[in-house]
Amino acid sequence: MIKAILIFNNHGKPRLSKFYQRYSEDTQQQIIRETFHLVSKRDENVCNFLEGGLLIGGSDNKLIYRHYATLYFVFCVDSSESELGILDLIQVNLLDMGYAHCFYYICTYFFSLIFYVHNILAEMVMGGMVLETNMNEIVTQIDAQNKLEKSEAGLAGAPARAVSAVKNMNLPEIPRNINIGDISIKVPNLPTFK
Amino acid sequence: MALKMVKGSIDRMFDKNLQDLVRGIRNHKEDEAKYISQCIDEIKQELKQDNIAVKANAVCKLTYLQMLGYDISWAAFNIIEVMSASKFTFKRIGYLAASQCFHEGTDVIMLTTNQIRKDLSSPNQYDTGVALTGLSCFVTPDLARDLANDIMTLMSHTKPYIRKKAVLIMYKVFLKYPESLRPAFPRLKEKLEDPDPGVQSAAVNVICELARRNPKNYLSLAPLFFKLMTSSTNNWVLIKIIKLFGALTPLEPRLGKKLIEPLTNLIHRYVWQILLCSLRTVLISLSSGMPNHSASIQLCVQKLRILIEDSDQNLKYLGLLAMSKILKTHPKSVQSHKDLILQCLDDKDESIRLRALDLLYGMVSKKNLMEIVKKLMIHVDKAEGTTYRDELLTKIIDICSQSNYQYITNFEWYISILVELTRLEGTRHGHLIAAQMLDVAIRVKAIRKFAVSQMAMLLDNAHLIASNTQRNGICEVLYAAAWICGEFSEHLEEANQTLEAMLRPKVTTLPGHIQAVYVQNMVKLYASILQQKEQAGDKEAAQEITQLMIERLPQFVQSADLEVQERASCILQLIKYIQKLQVKEVPVAEEVIALFAGELNPVAPKAQKKVPVPEGLDLDAWINEPPSDSESEDEKPKTIFHDEEQRHSKPRHPEMDEEELARRREARKQEQANNPFYIKSSPSPQKRYQDTPGVEHIPVVQIDLSVPLKVPGMPMSDQYVKLEEERRHKQKLEKDKKKKKQKKEKRGKHHRHNSLHTESEEDIAPAHRVDIITEEMPENALPSDEDDKDPNDPYKALDIDLDKPLADSEKLPVQRHRNAEALKTPDSEAPPVEKKSKKPKKKEKKHKEKEKDKGKKKEKEKKVVEEEEEKKKSSKHKKKKHKKEKEEKSKDKKKSKKKHHHSEEEVVESVQNGTLDDEPLPPMSSYRLLAENPYIKMTYDIQGNLQNDSQVTVSVIFENKSTSFLKSMELNVLDSLNTKMLRPEGSSVHDGIPVPFQLPPGISNEAQFVFTLQSIVMAQKLKGTLSFIVKNDEGSTHEKLDFKLHFSCASYLITTPCYSDAFAKLLESGDLHMSSIKVDGISISFQHLLAKICFHHHFSVVERVDSCASMYSRSIQGHHVCLLVKKGENSVSIDGKCSDPTLLSNLLDEMKETLSTC
């Protein structure tokens, strides 16, 4: 089971948090802080697994994380998940896909990044269990959903989009908003998970 | 209308959207909280508006704020409003917000039930999907109970996208509503064979998650998983299955034997290291039951070593992880890699170091304990981070104290290690060290003298330890030190000095509980000094010491800590009284010492719980009649069996002779016998061996204590290591000498633990007589392990026997009032779902339904009986050759909608060859005879290929019937225009395909061949030849066997489940051609008939009413085939509809043939 998925930046500011177990808002923040504390002090060239998060789970649990550019992607899982498997899930499904589609979505739908990632996550992991690992399948489903959304917006959505477009005219702002955008994909020498 | 919408949107564009919010927060770095509270006010305004788009936008922003840690539960109702919006865009936002912030305590959650139900049955698959995703995060017991049936129905939805989500969410439903597990399980099992890999993987996921907690209930699924394992190409599924087998094999050792081979095959097949890691660990757990597999374990460990030596840190970590799993079962094979593990301790990565530490824990032995701990101590000194250092510290203590100090041969060394550890600054684990000191000092009698001297030193140097108090956890050790010095003060050489150290003013800065112990133990010390002095006749010194106490104690009386204050003032009064007596020259020492007399025994942690309730005592009964007020709550009767650890009445040996152990033992025994308050310990082996005759003969090597005791300052454990080595050497020599003289009867008396020792370890005797006192348990304590289980474990509720037939009461609750059209699912076991019911008729209908249920139930029971009979039969005839029987079995198998992938049968084969006979096997086999001669028999089966619409896979089983060895088998067919065998690139149409194995005598194996076809509407026949070389003692001959491969139309069909509504639509659409047949003279039951059609022709039942059923299937090229099967008295008529008339007529012809054989 996956207990939580956290994405935060180099300063520990949460960019996305998804808990598959109930924690109060305060505990959630505490967990994020603790996880950031644990993860951020690790060097670049060490392994991507970490034990000893006190708040979330006990000895059975592990943190599996990846650090990309300014973001940390952390999965908190228990012993029934395969470590390298999850690592690959972060790599292939979340990051590579995010990279390829990010600009497209931001520009087309003015879709907020957090919701975009939430949607990917929803197709990938459900209730703490891995739902789909096939990247193409996920992309297909997300595309279909966004299409549906676009068709719903139709005429009524047009002005809102126009306004968003104007609001986004401040171009230098954009790259800062898109955190995944400036990731340089340097894939470590992992055997691919195919 | 449209105008209004546009207007709404225009209004909306002046609201802040999420991006504005994010940007705003970023621009207000200094006063973020203020800005956000302002935003929340705005959001509250927005939520009050009617426009759903505005609301959705507000909820969207709230979700973001929730992530930042703001409580948004106040908006729960608005979230539900957004969830129930008709547009997917808003629905999605609503469900996301709900999944982020709803939980069991959210009170409005019950309002969502109907909304969710509506979304679940929405025609738009994404509405359903988003509802399922949301529900998975906030499902409550109530929701689970109300929606279980709806989700069950979704498990056989036509869209795999919904199916997989529905399957996965069932796990959450089971957790919240365990009663649903049994009714839903058959369908879940079915989904393991779903044509869609995603659904399959979801089902595997759920079952593995369930089985992880209660593996024994899922043993019967082993053959199914076995099949999946050999056929699946999805690595996620493979990992899960392998992990599942890891949990199953300890319960069923025979499974292990079966698994070894395929797992080894998998290792060969996948160079993929992830899999390797988990594979190995399972291999290990498998072979734990079989000692003869230690060679393979050895191999695994060696391979793991390669992993650990890898430069990739992740692989290194996983290697160590796997290694620790092997360690549990095969400690010896890991121990040889100690060097590597120790090397890992130097790794810069903390995770890896921690893993290595874990491994060390299992690797210690009597021989290497000192060496390992020494290495660890070096690391303790080097370690920078406190977390890691603390981890090291706990590990050292764990390693040393594991299984009752099994590996410690020299406790002096251990005490000095503990003392050295006290030099660590800023550790959180002071209490751990303290607990160890206390434990060792109490339980190892022989060490007390040494321990006391060390503790006295600690007390003397207390200022070093407690330099920065409060925050410093290490000062806890002073607690232990003070207690040990007081308790065993008779061993103290310079008691005066220690007493003075305890009375220093600095002590008052220590934490309260430590001061309290100080005060208490001062008196003990004082008592023993007093006695010494009186015995020596030194009255002046005795009075001096009393005076010292009276002078210094007031500083504790002033303590802010109540406990300290109380004890100190009590004791102060006592001493003042003693002083008075002393002035009158009355000898008081005996009386004072009597205050602390008594033996102290360690009490087992569970002892209290195990005290049996005496007969006739009802602990729940009131002792007095409860007062009528509500106040009675505070006055619960206190248990009178409080087995307190008598901290304050201390054991004291009246006369202590340190040198002569035998005498001391004698005295103690006597004292115990005379002391009526002494709780006799339960007869334990350790206790008993003290009484065995001949103890005196055991050479007790007395350490020359003068050397270590006089070490100035802190002791160095290294010295003990050296001493110990010398001692061992000496001992060995002595032993060698004695061996010659001594008789056999003295063997083995020297061991505290006789369980796990290896020969070589047994040679090392403990340094001196170490009596580890066993922890006491009350007499007639009941041995039970129950107390290890947590009654609140949510998974315990799921410990349900799944093989029992369903009872009537176990049906899932069905919403009766619902008016929506319910779907009849292919599974006849599905709980009955009502069809459109009008209110007046409701009652009547319910009644009917019940009757129907009962009927079904009976049928089911009958089937179960039949099945069981079959099972018995099959275990009698162990060989699989009886084809007939097999077919019968497959008939009996009522749920023959099950698809069988080509490899399924492979498993059937391999399992049947072995000993796993009484496992319920999937008994279906559609293998037909292909050709046979005295050497070889070929049977084959054809399966459509899901991925490719113009390919079929032919699986051929080759069985060697001769006593010779068959090799170089090559299969070739004459391609027709329509059907061609898929050959490797570059080979011509006349080349055969080599069979990828050889056959030893009596063995069978399966090979698969792929054929491509253009048209599938007609049955095909292909001629072919198998050529092979027969090799026996006389030499080898070349043989040939001709065969005809028959591609029936049914083999192009793929079993596809279908809904009755989709089915109805299909029939209505009118683009299907119709044809029908009638077969007379059918005697088998309708149930069997359907099963036969399902099985041999790959159909699935859509709906069945009495003796009429509709069935559906799909060809690999997408032709729909619908059947209506009606059974008359002696005949069956089948009406078929299909998009291709030729295919249909051919299919019906085949079916006629099958049925006429009934």
Side-chain angles (χ1 to χ4, degrees):
Chain A
M1 286 272 281
I2 298 170
K3 308 279 175 176
I5 299 173
L6 308 172
I7 303 179
F8 43 76
N9 69 5
N10 277 347
H11 307 288
K13 283 250 182 279
R15 285 285 168 256
L16 179 139
S17 66
K18 181 97 201 158
F19 289 85
Y20 293 103
Q21 260 177 5
R22 171 65 196 169
Y23 294 101
S24 72
E25 272 76 17
D26 288 342
T27 328
Q28 289 186 4
Q29 292 306 308
Q30 237 173 312
I31 290 172
I32 294 173
R33 271 196 300 275
E34 188 201 58
T35 314
F36 170 70
H37 185 72
L38 281 172
V39 166
S40 62
K41 67 177 181 200
R42 291 172 63 84
D43 292 339
E44 277 297 309
N45 298 322
V46 296
C47 72
N48 299 93
F49 315 115
L50 190 59
E51 288 158 71
L54 291 173
L55 283 167
I56 199 163
S59 55
D60 198 29
N61 289 7
K62 271 196 194 72
L63 298 174
I64 299 174
Y65 74 97
R66 272 216 178 283
H67 186 201
Y68 278 100
T70 59
L71 290 183
Y72 284 98
F73 295 76
V74 186
F75 277 49
C76 181
V77 303
D78 71 7
S79 62
S80 72
E81 300 293 338
S82 152
E83 290 84 1
L84 280 188
I86 294 287
L87 207 54
D88 219 66
L89 198 72
I90 305 178
Q91 169 69 44
V92 176
N93 292 7
L94 209 55
L95 293 174
D96 291 0
M97 193 166 70
Y99 185 66
H101 283 248
C102 194
F103 278 110
Y104 174 72
Y105 279 110
I106 301 249
C107 301
T108 321
Y109 299 108
F110 304 105
F111 213 81
S112 170
L113 185 68
I114 158 174
F115 281 87
Y116 169 64
V117 182
H118 261 303
N119 291 337
I120 299 181
L121 277 185
E123 293 303 322
M124 205 164 87
V125 179
M126 196 174 113
M129 284 186 283
V130 177
L131 177 69
E132 182 62 66
T133 50
N134 183 346
M135 189 171 133
N136 294 334
E137 171 73 16
I138 297 176
V139 173
T140 318
Q141 299 299 351
I142 296 226
D143 280 344
Q145 290 179 32
N146 288 327
K147 216 180 222 168
L148 180 68
E149 209 160 72
K150 198 182 171 191
S151 71
E152 276 179 352
L155 178 64
R161 280 210 297 279
V163 169
S164 294
V166 174
K167 280 178 181 170
N168 275 312
M169 284 304 273
N170 186 5
L171 279 176
E173 279 280 301
I174 292 179
R176 269 208 278 148
N177 279 342
I178 307 160
N179 284 306
I180 296 184
D182 48 359
I183 289 164
S184 60
I185 305 272
K186 51 169 197 271
V187 186
N189 49 347
L190 265 182
T192 46
F193 192 79
K194 273 279 142 76
Chain B
M1 186 64 199
L3 253 178
K4 198 181 161 194
M5 276 167 70
V6 173
K7 190 172 164 287
S9 306
I10 291 172
D11 287 343
R12 187 186 152 199
M13 76 191 185
F14 296 111
D15 294 332
K16 266 197 201 98
N17 67 12
L18 178 62
Q19 261 173 320
D20 300 327
L21 177 76
V22 175
R23 205 170 292 159
I25 291 175
R26 198 165 290 169
N27 292 338
H28 291 77
K29 278 213 173 84
E30 306 80 38
D31 50 350
E32 199 181 286
K34 196 180 149 203
Y35 178 75
I36 287 177
S37 70
Q38 190 188 325
C39 287
I40 289 183
D41 286 341
E42 278 173 29
I43 289 170
K44 280 182 180 161
Q45 286 307 313
E46 284 168 35
L47 285 175
K48 278 180 195 150
Q49 292 187 33
D50 282 336
N51 190 331
I52 192 78
V54 177
K55 268 186 191 157
N57 184 40
V59 167
C60 202
K61 287 188 274 184
L62 279 178
T63 316
Y64 183 80
L65 292 178
Q66 193 270 346
M67 187 190 76
L68 295 182
Y70 291 86
D71 180 27
I72 60 163
S73 53
W74 52 268
F77 189 76
N78 303 98
I79 291 172
I80 294 181
E81 278 180 319
V82 177
M83 271 162 74
S84 50
S86 55
K87 275 189 185 171
F88 175 71
T89 320
F90 305 138
K91 205 181 273 298
R92 178 146 87 167
I93 291 171
Y95 272 106
L96 176 64
S99 75
Q100 291 291 80
C101 77
F102 281 11
H103 53 95
E104 279 186 30
T106 309
D107 43 3
V108 289
I109 210 164
M110 72 246 227
L111 298 178
T112 59
T113 317
N114 279 318
Q115 179 55 41
I116 294 173
R117 180 172 291 131
K118 210 175 103 196
D119 288 336
L120 288 184
S121 52
S122 156
N124 182 350
Q125 63 165 331
Y126 293 112
D127 281 351
T128 317
V130 93
L132 283 173
T133 310
L135 187 62
S136 73
C137 288
F138 58 78
V139 61
T140 63
D142 284 342
L143 280 177
R145 194 191 55 236
D146 295 341
L147 296 171
N149 194 51
D150 301 69
I151 298 170
M152 269 264 286
T153 323
L154 287 180
M155 276 166 79
S156 8
H157 198 272
T158 42
K159 297 251 173 52
Y161 177 75
I162 300 298
R163 278 209 303 277
K164 72 181 176 199
K165 287 198 169 197
V167 168
L168 214 52
I169 203 179
M170 275 322 267
Y171 177 66
K172 292 275 167 176
V173 174
F174 295 152
L175 273 186
K176 299 288 176 190
Y177 179 52
E179 289 86 344
S180 61
L181 178 56
R182 280 177 37 79
F185 194 70
R187 190 167 298 180
L188 188 62
K189 217 159 100 184
E190 232 174 77
K191 293 298 149 204
L192 283 176
E193 295 175 289
D194 197 278
D196 185 86
V199 183
Q200 209 180 41
S201 125
V204 170
N205 219 331
V206 170
I207 292 189
C208 288
E209 206 58 56
L210 288 169
R212 206 160 66 93
R213 309 290 178 175
N214 304 300
K216 66 175 190 305
N217 299 336
Y218 300 86
L219 264 180
S220 62
L221 289 181
L224 198 62
F225 277 111
F226 198 86
K227 198 167 32 181
L228 277 176
M229 186 171 76
T230 40
S231 63
S232 176
T233 49
N234 183 339
N235 287 324
W236 278 95
V237 174
L238 272 179
I239 291 180
K240 287 278 171 191
I241 293 178
I242 288 167
K243 290 214 170 193
L244 175 77
F245 275 127
L248 289 184
T249 37
L251 299 169
E252 178 59 276
R254 283 174 302 167
L255 203 59
K257 274 185 217 156
K258 290 269 138 218
L259 282 169
I260 287 280
E261 201 199 322
L263 284 181
T264 332
N265 282 343
L266 277 178
I267 291 188
H268 287 307
R269 228 164 75 199
Y270 293 89
V271 199
W272 189 45
Q273 275 145 326
I274 310 167
L275 207 56
L276 274 182
C277 269
S278 26
L279 269 182
R280 292 224 177 85
T281 48
V282 180
L283 254 185
I284 285 116
S285 59
L286 297 184
S287 43
S288 56
M290 291 163 287
N292 48 345
H293 273 280
S294 58
S296 67
I297 295 297
Q298 205 60 45
L299 191 85
C300 282
V301 175
Q302 261 150 28
K303 290 260 166 71
L304 281 179
R305 190 185 169 104
I306 299 170
L307 272 190
I308 296 173
E309 281 165 345
D310 199 287
S311 61
D312 188 310
Q313 296 280 320
N314 287 335
L315 292 184
K316 195 179 237 176
Y317 175 86
L318 291 175
L320 287 170
L321 196 68
M323 198 81 115
S324 68
K325 281 180 187 153
I326 302 180
L327 186 72
K328 278 178 200 141
T329 51
H330 295 77
K332 269 194 192 156
S333 41
V334 183
Q335 265 162 14
S336 53
H337 300 283
K338 200 180 74 191
D339 55 320
L340 185 70
I341 312 292
L342 284 173
Q343 209 179 305
C344 286
L345 277 181
D346 295 321
D347 202 283
K348 61 181 188 302
D349 187 348
E350 199 174 300
S351 295
I352 287 177
R353 287 195 306 242
L354 290 178
R355 275 275 135 240
L357 267 183
D358 242 18
L359 270 174
L360 278 181
Y361 176 80
M363 283 171 52
V364 290
S365 65
K366 281 191 176 182
K367 263 187 179 168
N368 62 15
L369 174 76
M370 286 189 168
E371 184 197 339
I372 288 180
V373 172
K374 191 178 158 192
K375 290 240 167 76
L376 290 179
M377 291 298 284
I378 296 170
H379 281 284
V380 171
D381 287 339
K382 280 196 293 188
E384 300 128 20
T386 46
T387 345
Y388 177 57
R389 212 169 48 180
D390 281 357
E391 190 61 34
L392 271 172
L393 191 152
T394 38
K395 265 284 132 56
I396 291 177
I397 289 179
D398 277 357
I399 286 174
C400 292
S401 64
Q402 65 176 307
S403 34
N404 223 0
Y405 307 103
Q406 184 186 343
Y407 299 115
I408 295 185
T409 50
N410 187 338
F411 277 93
E412 284 166 9
W413 165 81
Y414 186 44
I415 292 276
S416 47
I417 286 283
L418 287 176
V419 172
E420 266 177 62
L421 285 176
T422 61
R423 280 186 293 172
L424 284 184
E425 258 181 53
T427 176
R428 284 183 289 122
H429 294 300
H431 60 277
L432 248 180
I433 305 176
Q436 282 292 302
M437 286 173 170
L438 286 172
D439 201 35
V440 172
I442 294 170
R443 292 174 62 188
V444 187
K445 291 210 154 94
I447 200 68
R448 284 182 190 164
K449 186 175 168 61
F450 179 73
V452 165
S453 71
Q454 293 294 316
M455 294 305 122
M457 209 144 62
L458 268 186
L459 286 179
D460 232 15
N461 298 323
H463 56 280
L464 292 178
I465 292 169
S467 51
N468 49 349
T469 46
Q470 310 306 341
R471 287 170 290 131
N472 198 338
I474 204 70
C475 58
E476 287 287 330
V477 294
L478 291 176
Y479 176 96
W483 189 85
I484 291 172
C485 282
E487 183 62 34
F488 307 114
S489 50
E490 68 272 5
H491 298 292
L492 261 183
E493 301 213 326
E494 293 175 45
N496 267 332
Q497 199 187 328
T498 312
L499 185 63
E500 266 179 61
M502 286 170 87
L503 284 166
R504 275 180 208 145
K506 194 111 208 236
V507 172
T508 48
T509 57
L510 289 172
H513 65 284
I514 298 179
Q515 280 187 59
V517 169
Y518 261 69
V519 171
Q520 194 73 28
N521 285 285
M522 267 174 225
V523 200
K524 291 186 208 162
L525 255 181
Y526 166 75
S528 82
I529 295 172
L530 206 62
Q531 197 189 25
Q532 267 175 31
K533 302 288 181 200
E534 267 189 20
Q535 272 168 1
D538 192 352
K539 276 181 194 157
E540 225 157 82
Q543 279 176 0
E544 237 170 65
I545 200 88
T546 315
Q547 189 56 40
L548 179 76
M549 288 291 276
I550 291 175
E551 272 169 28
R552 298 282 182 85
L553 269 176
Q555 62 182 345
F556 293 106
V557 178
Q558 291 158 8
S559 169
D561 191 283
L562 281 180
E563 180 86 14
V564 180
Q565 200 187 65
E566 194 180 1
R567 287 189 192 191
S569 48
C570 259
I571 285 161
L572 186 60
Q573 292 313 313
L574 176 75
I575 293 183
K576 276 181 182 163
Y577 178 66
I578 294 171
Q579 196 182 27
K580 262 186 217 163
L581 289 177
Q582 273 180 335
V583 173
K584 288 178 197 161
E585 303 209 342
V586 182
V588 282
E590 283 303 324
E591 281 163 51
V592 176
I593 215 133
L595 283 176
F596 306 107
E599 174 82 7
L600 178 85
N601 288 299
V603 178
K606 283 177 193 164
Q608 173 70 56
K609 240 192 276 176
K610 301 273 173 104
V611 177
V613 180
E615 241 178 275
L617 176 70
D618 182 7
L619 286 177
D620 296 327
W622 289 97
I623 294 174
N624 297 314
E625 274 306 301
S628 51
D629 312 357
S630 54
E631 281 169 30
S632 61
E633 264 181 40
D634 307 327
E635 297 173 33
K636 273 185 189 158
K638 274 189 183 160
T639 167
I640 41 173
F641 286 95
H642 199 68
D643 199 351
E644 63 250 44
E645 235 188 290
Q646 303 180 342
R647 270 271 150 80
H648 316 306
S649 56
K650 296 303 169 174
R652 187 110 327 193
H653 294 285
E655 20 116 37
M656 225 6 117
D657 192 340
E658 294 87 9
E659 307 304 321
E660 271 191 21
L661 290 160
R663 229 182 93 202
R664 198 179 71 168
R665 228 184 1 260
E666 201 56 39
R668 194 169 57 79
K669 248 194 282 177
Q670 222 159 23
E671 198 209 18
Q672 283 173 9
N674 297 336
N675 187 351
F677 300 106
Y678 176 66
I679 309 166
K680 288 209 176 57
S681 64
S682 52
S684 64
Q686 279 96 337
K687 281 277 178 191
R688 219 178 277 156
Y689 98 101
Q690 294 179 354
D691 303 331
T692 46
V695 174
E696 283 79 13
H697 298 285
I698 300 167
V700 177
V701 184
Q702 275 298 328
I703 268 248
D704 187 4
L705 287 176
S706 61
V707 183
L709 271 182
K710 295 298 175 194
V711 176
M714 295 294 192
M716 285 302 291
S717 52
D718 293 357
Q719 287 170 313
Y720 292 97
V721 177
K722 225 177 268 169
L723 274 173
E724 175 72 11
E725 269 161 19
E726 281 167 25
R727 187 186 67 81
R728 279 185 194 175
H729 185 67
K730 221 163 74 188
Q731 202 176 33
K732 212 182 161 193
L733 290 179
E734 259 175 58
K735 244 197 178 147
D736 287 347
K737 262 191 252 163
K738 274 196 183 146
K739 250 186 199 165
K740 289 166 197 163
K741 288 190 273 175
Q742 273 179 348
K743 284 169 196 171
K744 283 175 188 172
E745 52 183 40
K746 277 167 203 162
R747 256 182 312 156
K749 286 204 176 122
H750 220 49
H751 310 301
R752 279 176 289 147
H753 295 270
N754 41 13
S755 48
L756 290 154
H757 292 185
T758 57
E759 287 283 327
S760 60
E761 280 172 350
E762 278 184 83
D763 287 336
I764 307 168
H768 36 118
R769 282 302 310 272
V770 188
D771 322 337
I772 291 204
I773 305 167
T774 36
E775 290 169 327
E776 284 199 341
M777 286 293 240
E779 281 168 82
N780 17 318
L782 314 159
S784 68
D785 301 321
E786 279 165 28
D787 29 30
D788 296 335
K789 280 191 182 165
D790 178 10
N792 297 325
D793 183 8
Y795 303 104
K796 213 178 165 189
L798 286 179
D799 191 357
I800 298 169
D801 184 6
L802 296 164
D803 298 330
K804 265 195 305 192
L806 283 174
D808 266 348
S809 56
E810 284 183 303
K811 299 281 183 220
L812 287 178
V814 179
Q815 291 292 313
R816 297 276 174 188
H817 59 271
R818 207 166 106 234
N819 246 3
E821 188 186 359
L823 307 164
K824 191 79 184 175
T825 57
D827 190 347
S828 60
E829 272 178 1
V833 182
E834 224 182 355
K835 294 207 156 189
K836 275 183 188 173
S837 60
K838 282 170 194 166
K839 272 183 183 170
K841 278 189 185 173
K842 212 165 146 191
K843 266 191 188 168
E844 197 188 336
K845 203 134 193 190
K846 256 190 194 167
H847 186 65
K848 266 189 201 166
E849 198 99 353
K850 257 187 205 161
E851 275 185 347
K852 217 162 129 192
D853 268 10
K854 271 185 200 160
K856 266 186 201 165
K857 174 77 193 149
K858 269 183 201 158
E859 224 172 81
K860 223 185 291 160
E861 274 169 4
K862 219 166 76 192
K863 258 178 262 150
V864 170
V865 175
E866 271 172 17
E867 255 183 353
E868 267 168 12
E869 275 171 7
E870 277 303 323
K871 261 187 233 165
K872 274 181 211 157
K873 240 196 248 172
S874 71
S875 61
K876 273 180 204 157
H877 315 278
K878 287 197 175 172
K879 285 293 168 184
K880 54 154 191 222
K881 283 173 193 165
H882 310 279
K883 273 204 113 189
K884 262 189 185 173
E885 185 189 303
K886 239 191 203 174
E887 247 161 43
E888 248 172 45
K889 267 203 246 168
S890 57
K891 261 188 274 163
D892 277 1
K893 196 78 183 178
K894 65 221 166 194
K895 284 176 282 166
S896 33
K897 287 132 274 171
K898 279 185 183 170
K899 293 122 287 227
H900 32 103
H901 301 290
H902 41 73
S903 49
E904 206 170 310
E905 279 75 16
E906 190 183 326
V907 181
V908 175
E909 293 304 322
S910 56
V911 171
Q912 282 191 347
N913 281 338
T915 51
L916 215 66
D917 288 306
D918 44 1
E919 291 279 349
L921 297 171
M924 286 185 293
S925 170
S926 53
Y927 280 71
R928 279 166 293 173
L929 185 67
L930 185 59
E932 191 175 12
N933 70 5
Y935 296 109
I936 194 165
K937 182 179 166 188
M938 292 155 69
T939 48
Y940 77 109
D941 180 44
I942 305 173
Q943 292 288 331
N945 192 331
L946 280 169
Q947 276 82 39
N948 195 323
D949 60 4
S950 60
Q951 279 188 359
V952 290
T953 309
V954 179
S955 316
V956 185
I957 298 177
F958 300 89
E959 188 190 348
N960 187 347
K961 291 164 62 187
S962 67
T963 51
S964 327
F965 201 86
L966 303 183
K967 57 181 210 175
S968 308
M969 287 186 280
E970 212 174 76
L971 187 122
N972 198 8
V973 292
L974 229 56
D975 289 349
S976 72
L977 274 177
N978 187 38
T979 314
K980 294 185 171 66
M981 182 152 80
L982 203 67
R983 294 179 170 85
E985 261 179 72
S987 52
S988 83
V989 284
H990 305 295
D991 291 341
I993 290 188
V995 178
F997 46 79
Q998 302 182 335
L999 284 180
I1003 299 295
S1004 59
N1005 205 340
E1006 187 181 68
Q1008 284 162 1
F1009 306 91
V1010 179
F1011 287 80
T1012 55
L1013 339 121
Q1014 282 167 351
S1015 156
I1016 59 157
V1017 296
M1018 298 248 274
Q1020 312 267 339
K1021 267 186 187 162
L1022 287 187
K1023 271 188 189 171
T1025 321
L1026 178 82
S1027 61
F1028 54 95
I1029 294 174
V1030 182
K1031 196 182 170 191
N1032 52 22
D1033 299 341
E1034 294 141 31
S1036 48
T1037 50
H1038 203 91
E1039 295 286 339
K1040 264 189 178 178
L1041 177 61
D1042 291 333
F1043 57 84
K1044 264 187 189 170
L1045 204 51
H1046 181 79
F1047 291 86
S1048 66
C1049 283
S1051 54
Y1052 306 135
L1053 296 185
I1054 295 169
T1055 322
T1056 320
C1058 182
Y1059 267 139
S1060 52
D1061 60 341
F1063 188 76
K1065 255 180 222 160
L1066 200 63
L1067 289 180
E1068 282 162 16
S1069 66
D1071 7 299
L1072 300 183
H1073 304 268
M1074 187 174 155
S1075 175
S1076 57
I1077 51 161
K1078 193 169 178 188
V1079 186
D1080 291 322
I1082 303 284
S1083 53
I1084 59 168
S1085 77
F1086 190 55
Q1087 180 74 28
H1088 285 185
L1089 184 94
L1090 289 184
K1092 238 180 165 173
I1093 297 176
C1094 286
F1095 181 63
H1096 289 291
H1097 299 276
H1098 306 173
F1099 275 87
S1100 65
V1101 179
V1102 178
E1103 194 170 3
R1104 184 187 155 187
V1105 182
D1106 299 330
S1107 59
C1108 191
S1110 50
M1111 304 176 92
Y1112 175 80
S1113 185
R1114 223 172 67 106
S1115 78
I1116 52 172
Q1117 293 184 351
H1119 303 103
H1120 301 283
V1121 189
C1122 307
L1123 292 185
L1124 182 65
V1125 185
K1126 278 182 266 181
K1127 188 175 186 313
E1129 261 186 32
N1130 263 325
S1131 65
V1132 173
S1133 68
I1134 300 175
D1135 297 318
K1137 277 194 173 183
C1138 176
S1139 31
D1140 188 296
T1142 331
L1143 178 65
L1144 181 64
S1145 67
N1146 283 327
L1147 271 173
L1148 289 178
D1149 286 347
E1150 282 171 19
M1151 224 167 277
K1152 202 168 180 175
E1153 208 173 309
T1154 322
L1155 294 178
S1156 56
T1157 60
C1158 293

